[in-house]
Amino acid sequence: MHPRLSALAALRLTDPDKKVAATRAIGAMSMDSATESIAAAPIRTAGDDLGVPGRPERPLRVAATAVQKRSPFTTEGRAALIHSICHIEFNAINLALDAVWRYDGMPEAYYRDWLRVADEEALHFTLLHAHLQDMGWRYGDFPGHDGLWNMCEKTKDDVLARMALVPRTLEARGLDATPLIQGKLKRVNTPDALRAVEILDIILRDEVGHVAIGNHWYRWLCEREGIDPEATYPALVARYEAPRLKPPFNLEARGRAGFSSEELRQLSSAQDKA
């Protein structure tokens, strides 16, 4: 099967364990230089988005404002926190698979980049879900919101907007939030909290690379279309009603993820004014 159609098949799977296994298998195959060209020809057909994305019946999906906040200083509160990150990573698997399958006409490197991202997101989900089970819960035991996938839906017909508003906007917020979450967990200082900090170290390291991939392809697409990336970005934010960025910002991680010096300057200025 064509690697992009394999990505679609994995995207349609509803069982989290099967989705993870299929995603990791595709990722392993994509690393093989003998794998057939991923960018050989268009693969999209009418109605092929049926069943996209495949998701389990649980967790119950609610509005972001309806997700109950729990203190990380209780065991159940920490489990809910780990579950929320696990839910983000599950959606991120779907996001990366969708980026591989949905958009015809991109270079070979684009598809291989996003297959690698999907594989790493599957690893993140596996680490978090195993930790959640060690704590006595499973994925689906708490509700989750659909903010990440909602933006995927909005940008399904525009790869430029997808690159601008999912990896370099929504996922980049994870670069900002993760150190704050780790700080709270370190204050809790229980074995399960410190194990969560270790897992988040792995995720933060990899997510810098994922955001960098989004930045790279966003700028590549802007160059292909002859438009200025920094001037285009706020217009895309307005058109697709993307969330506004709020401090604090992890400027060091964002710098490593490929944000320009001007973008970092603007974020630093906004942070100083907050």
Side-chain angles (χ1 to χ4, degrees):
M1 184 184 293
H2 190 287
R4 290 178 61 205
L5 293 177
S6 295
L8 172 59
L11 179 60
R12 285 174 170 159
L13 291 173
T14 59
D15 181 88
D17 293 334
K18 291 180 180 179
K19 187 187 292 284
V20 164
T23 300
R24 302 226 66 189
I26 300 165
M29 285 191 299
S30 73
M31 300 299 176
D32 185 353
S33 59
T35 302
E36 65 179 293
S37 174
I38 302 175
I43 56 96
R44 294 297 309 274
T45 58
D48 58 359
D49 56 354
L50 184 66
V52 172
R55 296 184 285 196
E57 291 184 5
R58 300 174 65 220
L60 176 68
R61 294 188 292 276
V62 299
T65 54
V67 177
Q68 182 181 353
K69 296 187 183 299
R70 294 178 171 89
S71 170
F73 290 90
T74 68
T75 303
E76 185 173 357
R78 290 193 299 281
L81 173 62
I82 298 304
H83 186 278
S84 69
I85 304 170
C86 201
H87 182 60
I88 290 170
E89 296 300 325
F90 182 80
N91 276 286
I93 298 170
N94 284 336
L95 178 161
L97 293 171
D98 191 78
V100 172
W101 156 72
R102 184 171 295 278
Y103 302 108
D104 287 333
M106 294 296 286
E108 180 89 8
Y110 167 89
Y111 300 114
R112 293 194 183 275
D113 275 349
W114 284 105
L115 283 171
R116 177 168 66 82
V117 171
D119 181 62
E120 291 177 353
E121 304 290 18
L123 171 62
H124 299 167
F125 176 86
T126 300
L127 292 171
L128 289 163
H129 195 203
H131 185 49
L132 188 63
Q133 290 175 82
D134 287 344
M135 296 177 70
W137 282 268
R138 292 187 59 84
Y139 180 56
D141 286 348
F142 298 92
H145 70 81
D146 253 2
L148 189 58
W149 186 259
N150 287 343
M151 187 54 69
C152 289
E153 284 286 338
K154 287 183 179 182
T155 58
K156 64 182 182 179
D157 297 321
D158 187 347
V159 64
L160 174 66
R162 172 69 65 86
M163 294 298 106
L165 302 178
V166 177
R168 73 186 310 268
T169 300
L170 296 184
E171 289 193 281
R173 293 172 74 180
L175 305 183
D176 305 326
T178 298
L180 302 178
I181 295 170
Q182 288 179 303
K184 291 179 181 179
L185 291 170
K186 287 175 182 176
R187 289 196 295 275
V188 172
N189 200 35
T190 60
D192 68 273
L194 295 178
R195 173 56 183 154
V197 171
E198 293 174 355
I199 295 171
L200 289 173
D201 278 336
I202 296 169
I203 292 175
L204 180 59
R205 176 200 68 198
D206 292 345
E207 291 298 340
V208 168
H210 300 175
V211 176
I213 286 170
N215 265 319
H216 169 76
W217 290 110
Y218 171 67
R219 293 180 183 281
W220 184 89
L221 286 158
C222 285
E223 182 177 352
R224 186 176 72 171
E225 297 186 20
I227 55 179
D228 178 75
E230 290 176 14
T232 300
Y233 177 73
L236 291 170
V237 168
R239 184 186 312 165
Y240 290 94
E241 300 179 328
R244 300 288 177 175
L245 299 179
K246 297 179 181 179
F249 302 115
N250 188 342
L251 297 175
E252 185 274 334
R254 283 175 173 268
R256 288 190 286 120
F259 286 91
S260 71
S261 57
E262 176 57 24
E263 288 173 317
L264 294 174
R265 186 197 66 76
Q266 291 177 8
L267 291 174
S268 179
S269 177
Q271 186 162 260
D272 291 342
K273 294 175 182 176

